[in-house]
Amino acid sequence: DNDLEDIDSLLERLEDPGGLSPQSQGGLIADSRPLLYVEHRNLNPENELKRYFGARAVLGDQRPRQRQRQYVRSTWLTAPKNTWPRYSKTGISMQLLDTRRGVQHFTFEHHREYQQVQFKFLDAVESMDPNNIVLLLQMNPYHVDSLLQLSDVCRMQEDQEMARDLIERALYSLECAFHPVFSLTSGTCRLDYRRPENRAFFLALFKHLMFLEKRGCPRTALEFCKLILSLDPENDPLCVLLLIDFLSLRAREYTFLTRLFQEWESHRNLSQLPNFAFSVPLAYFFLSQQEERPELERGQARERAARLIHLALIMFPGVLMPLLDHCSVQPDARVASHPFFGLNAQISQSPALNQLTSLYVGRTHTLWKDPAVMAWLEPHTHEVLRMVEAQDPLVQEAEHKRKIRYQSAPRNIYRHVILSEMKEATAALPLEVTSQPVMGFDPLPPLDSIISYTRPERTSHPSNESTLSLFFRSLLPNFNLQGDIRHDGDDEAGAGQDLNQGVNRLMAAMRDMLANIQFQEPPRDDNPEGDGDWD
């Protein structure tokens, strides 16, 4: 482990020819590397856990075993496990489409044999029976969409370990298909989410980073978040910009967050997102509390934090009261009774803005619970109320912006809310989103998808089915009363046999259905007289 750390430090010195620490400007490190530069060592959660608990506590007695392990391909995104099935070619490959202005555009491709497995997977999903996906994975253990869908099933059944393992296996399968020049770290490789073959990689990375954050590895999760953003920074199909500020604060990467805000604010209007409007001043506040920084830097960070928190409270007054409520903080009488921050501020928000604010409060409120943060927030809240009462033009301008903007949320925000599963935000999803089926392997596909191959239409004969057969098919999707359609023209001769077979199938289906029905005994009452009151 020490040797690996020495190699990393040598590489860092090679990247910085002067051997000097990067110069700091106003609480912001002037890093010469690209903003979305990803470091390989930060993609391994074990490195982060070793920093917290030490190598011995994390690795234990794993080292001798690893020397005896059979050779497996080395990967960056996840480490293959002994318990996984043996890897073989899956039928996925990656192609370089073109290079424009120093940016390389890639796409995953499905070969014919993989397409056939994909069609079987879609049939399994339509059957609504997870066992069919399990059977498919037994035959094709590295089929990516099956791994993603089964991971969701395991998560719903509270089997978090298996759910995480399936996502890691999906990432391993995709990384083994990388193009030789595809780079995770450069920040200049792009994948188009409109192509269905590429979506599994985005979704697997997102689900993996959510598991990492819950596991207590926010620094590793942030690195995966940067990786997702670097794959399509212009469109951001999973809207990780709504998450990257939270991970930066959790990982205490305050300078990265402030640098992202400064470099992207001019062309992305990050301050118009409630999460950036509130998280960036919070990052500057934390920078101002770092005693190892020069006093001049700390003073500049304090000034920026004050200015930005004023703008955030004026632009998004509906955030304050839910945030204090989640933090179990009772505001003073002046703030609680003032209409600017009162209930009207939340009611007057558009549904789209309400979704963004509830997502931010539900996700980030734990970072605001710190008494030092609350002590910093209180005087700035009073200062904003003074500006409101003085009819500062900034207040009217912000109100006008709120009325014009946030009329409806783009599709990538809905996709992010569904994947994040924050109950505060999912409750505010509009009917046009909640009324359509959402699949874990492809939630809310883009309306302008680029389709390279299509699923063949399934042959069905609805006119030949009786009402009774349709009824049992609704209960048992795999049930078929009539059996196979006869093609030899000898219908009359086999009519009696078909009828008998159909009745036998019907009886077998009814027996299976009745066998699976479980009756729950009513709870026994110790007091049979029943003299208690009804609730």
Side-chain angles (χ1 to χ4, degrees), residues 186-407:
S186 66
T188 58
C189 294
R190 303 284 185 264
L191 287 171
D192 193 340
Y193 193 82
R194 293 176 300 170
R195 297 180 181 271
E197 298 90 338
N198 294 337
R199 291 173 201 161
F201 189 51
F202 283 88
L203 294 167
L205 289 171
F206 189 93
K207 291 170 188 281
H208 185 56
L209 80 83
M210 296 299 284
F211 280 122
L212 288 169
E213 195 275 325
K214 290 175 185 173
R215 192 181 168 191
C217 299
R219 182 66 187 86
T220 312
L222 173 62
E223 210 70 9
F224 274 91
C225 195
K226 287 159 63 177
L227 173 57
I228 296 173
L229 190 57
S230 74
L231 294 175
D232 192 352
E234 294 303 319
N235 300 306
D236 191 12
L238 301 186
C239 212
V240 292
L241 281 176
L242 296 179
L243 175 67
I244 199 166
D245 63 298
F246 168 66
L247 295 175
S248 300
L249 292 172
R250 282 264 285 121
R252 301 184 181 181
E253 291 290 323
Y254 309 128
T255 50
F256 167 75
L257 180 57
T258 54
R259 181 186 172 193
L260 174 64
F261 181 74
Q262 288 194 358
E263 291 190 15
W264 283 28
E265 168 63 11
S266 59
H267 67 284
R268 296 295 289 269
N269 289 326
L270 296 182
S271 59
Q272 302 307 300
L273 293 172
N275 59 308
F276 272 92
F278 281 87
S279 288
V280 173
L282 185 59
Y284 275 119
F285 168 72
F286 286 134
L287 285 172
S288 72
Q289 301 297 298
Q290 294 179 348
E291 296 181 356
E292 67 272 13
R293 290 185 173 275
E295 185 55 40
L296 177 63
E297 281 186 20
R298 295 173 63 189
Q300 290 175 337
R302 269 192 298 271
E303 290 174 11
R304 293 186 184 185
R307 179 170 53 83
L308 290 172
I309 196 64
H310 291 165
L311 293 174
L313 290 168
I314 290 171
M315 187 67 202
F316 305 108
V319 171
L320 181 66
M321 299 307 282
L323 183 61
L324 296 178
D325 184 52
H326 273 71
C327 295
S328 304
V329 172
Q330 182 67 33
D332 60 35
R334 185 187 177 204
V335 174
S337 61
H338 202 287
F340 186 72
F341 290 124
L343 191 61
N344 186 54
Q346 299 166 52
I347 295 173
S348 61
Q349 286 184 153
S350 68
L353 180 56
N354 186 48
Q355 201 160 54
L356 291 174
T357 56
S358 57
L359 182 70
Y360 178 71
V361 171
R363 176 176 279 153
T364 324
H365 68 272
T366 52
L367 299 170
W368 292 83
K369 279 188 175 180
D370 187 344
V373 173
M374 282 296 163
W376 163 74
L377 181 63
E378 184 177 8
H380 294 304
T381 306
H382 286 287
E383 176 62 22
V384 168
L385 287 182
R386 188 195 62 75
M387 295 170 68
V388 171
E389 290 165 356
Q391 296 185 348
D392 192 294
L394 276 175
V395 178
Q396 280 78 30
E397 184 184 339
E399 185 179 358
H400 180 65
K401 285 179 180 177
R402 281 198 303 276
K403 286 180 180 177
I404 294 176
R405 300 171 183 174
Y406 314 108
Q407 295 304 311

Side-chain angles (χ1 to χ4, degrees), residues 114-171:
Y114 192 91
Q115 292 178 17
Q116 298 303 317
V117 179
Q118 187 73 8
F119 299 150
K120 292 178 184 176
F121 164 73
L122 296 174
D123 291 342
V125 170
E126 287 182 0
S127 74
M128 305 295 287
D129 185 358
N131 291 319
N132 290 334
I133 301 177
V134 174
L135 291 172
L136 185 65
L137 274 175
Q138 287 177 353
M139 301 297 294
N140 307 275
Y142 287 94
H143 180 255
V144 178
D145 283 352
S146 297
L147 293 167
L148 295 179
Q149 190 72 21
L150 193 59
S151 173
D152 283 353
V153 174
C154 293
R155 205 163 34 78
M156 291 177 199
Q157 296 175 350
E158 302 296 327
D159 190 351
Q160 302 292 335
E161 190 66 32
M162 177 58 73
R164 191 176 76 199
D165 189 75
L166 292 169
I167 294 297
E168 291 180 4
R169 208 200 299 179
L171 281 175

